[in-house]
Amino acid sequence: MALKELFANTSDTDFTINFFMKSRPSPRWALLAAPFFSTIDPIKALTAKGCDVRLIVRFSPITTPEALRAALEEPQVKVRYFTDAKFHTKLYVIDDVALVGSANLTRSGLEANRELSVLLKQDRDEAFYMLPGLFDDLWNDADVLNKEILHEYEKAFRSQEKPQTEDAFENFVHKFVKPAKPTSIVVGSNRKTKERAFIQGFRRKYDELLVPAHNEILEVAQHNGFGRPEYAGQDPQIEMGRFLGWLRLTQGSGNGWRETTLLSDAKERAKRIAKYVDIWQSTDDTVQGDMYHATAEIENISNIRTYLSDPNELTQLSYDEVFRYLSGCHAFIERLRFVSKEIGEDLPGLERLRIDFQEKNTLEAVVRTVNHLLSGPGDAIVRAYDCVYGSYKLNGFGEACVMELLGWGNPQRPPFNNRTIRGIRLLGFNVEHLVAGE
């Protein structure tokens, strides 16, 4: 169905919602930017046709947590946000057509208000070619929305003290989330703090790439009979962590994990995942190249969640106990290869690692860091930044250790280390560049 040239929410032109509803039968991608967002309908119209969507919004008195949550729940949608009222762009690009004008992604903007938006076509309008680049500039400035940030935003949005004016709300919301501002024409406004740049990169790495890949693998695996008897009744994340590590060690040893073909088609990835699930379900050895059997793995994760994630329990632990529970993280065990050979040559590997770790970190420092990471306030990614690069950093406990421990301590966030990321790459996902240190 041909699109109208003007969308003013009148019968003589067309209603803005129809730009999304009447898009081609199989759109590939969509770039959507609007400060106000309160209805999921235009996004549903696109994802129902298989379209991948990138959405930029602004935290405002109009943008609702319900709409944001619905967008996050769509696996084909990535969401970023600003908090600054300077973000005022209304831009919608679907493959080779675009809509530019005044309409927000609200029911009023899409159907009722007297808006005015103009259609641009790639094969006709020279200005069209600038639009994806303008969107990318905004996308790169915006912060990644995840469940933790949404939770904090919802507290601001539901607060009885919430201001209704945009400027006042901008100042108010910064009590709950950190500022996220677009680049402006002001000299120096394109500078980002090291902290914000890192946090943006971390959220993109984990919340936009690794977490969706992990969730896709788990969903496909469970659909194909994933679940060995020894893990019955346990958190499926525990077996998934072991499965991805086992993939890396047994099916992708050496550089084999990075030599499999990348797969952009989800159906092709599903076939590969199903293939390896079949092997996993039938193998007699799920411990090959590793040091933990299933019972030990389950106990290790239980200890992390019981003793390290509970501030009261954590403060009662001895150094040996804290070390033993941290050893439930495979990334921490792999630090053994960096321990000097001069430390206890005749001692077992774990004891050498303990001596090295204790020489570099006091019990007080370790407890402080673990408590901040697993039980501290605010966004988990910000806490992870503090523990990798900030004031909570430990010696010999880097990004892979932090992100694996964070995942085991927080059941809502999958655990990641370099081994599991390599396993995800083996299954066809383009994540090789996300391996820490690669």
Side-chain angles (χ1 to χ4, degrees), residues 307-318:
Y307 298 107
L308 300 187
S309 295
D310 184 331
N312 294 324
E313 294 286 351
L314 177 60
T315 57
Q316 303 301 314
L317 300 178
S318 67

Side-chain angles (χ1 to χ4, degrees), residues 1 4 9 17 51 56 81 83 105 158 209 273 306 350 372 398-399:
M1 185 179 297
K4 295 286 187 70
N9 294 336
I17 186 64
C51 186
I56 308 173
Y81 69 92
T83 61
L105 296 176
R158 304 290 181 210
L209 296 173
I273 294 167
T306 300
L350 274 180
H372 179 68
E399 179 183 333

Side-chain angles (χ1 to χ4, degrees), residues 39-212:
T39 175
I40 194 68
D41 290 352
I43 291 176
K44 284 280 193 182
L46 296 169
T47 57
K49 301 175 185 178
C51 186
D52 291 324
V53 177
R54 286 194 284 162
L55 170 68
I56 308 173
V57 302
R58 180 183 2 127
F59 288 171
S60 72
I62 307 299
T63 298
T64 65
E66 292 86 357
L68 292 172
R69 184 173 297 106
L72 282 181
E73 290 173 353
E74 290 281 328
Q76 292 168 273
V77 178
K78 291 181 172 62
V79 186
R80 296 187 183 179
Y81 69 92
F82 290 110
T83 61
D84 194 299
K86 293 185 182 69
F87 172 61
H88 217 260
T89 304
K90 292 96 172 178
L91 168 64
Y92 314 115
V93 184
I94 305 174
D95 288 344
D96 56 357
V97 294
L99 196 66
V100 180
S102 65
N104 279 291
L105 296 176
T106 64
R107 290 199 182 278
S108 296
L110 295 171
E111 301 177 31
N113 289 349
R114 291 306 298 267
E115 310 286 355
L116 181 59
S117 300
V118 178
L119 185 73
L120 297 178
K121 296 182 179 181
Q122 184 179 43
D123 61 1
R124 184 191 67 190
D125 301 301
E126 185 175 348
F128 177 92
Y129 290 92
M130 297 183 65
L131 299 180
L134 292 172
F135 180 92
D136 283 343
D137 288 342
L138 291 168
W139 185 255
N140 291 332
D141 278 344
D143 279 357
V144 175
L145 181 66
N146 59 25
K147 291 180 179 179
E148 291 99 340
I149 293 292
L150 178 56
H151 177 72
E152 294 301 311
Y153 173 64
E154 184 160 19
K155 288 195 293 186
F157 191 86
R158 304 290 181 210
S159 172
Q160 293 182 350
E161 301 175 0
K162 180 184 77 171
Q164 293 304 313
T165 63
E166 291 189 47
D167 289 343
F169 184 84
E170 178 183 336
N171 293 327
F172 178 73
V173 81
H174 290 160
K175 298 178 182 179
F176 299 83
V177 298
K178 294 191 174 185
K181 300 182 179 183
T183 300
S184 75
I185 61 172
V186 178
V187 174
S189 68
N190 60 338
R191 296 175 183 170
K192 299 178 185 175
T193 66
K194 178 181 177 182
E195 177 181 358
R196 185 181 173 216
F198 172 88
I199 291 170
Q200 280 185 314
F202 234 40
R203 285 206 185 103
R204 292 166 188 173
K205 174 176 179 176
Y206 289 98
D207 293 338
E208 287 190 343
L209 296 173
L210 288 175
V211 171

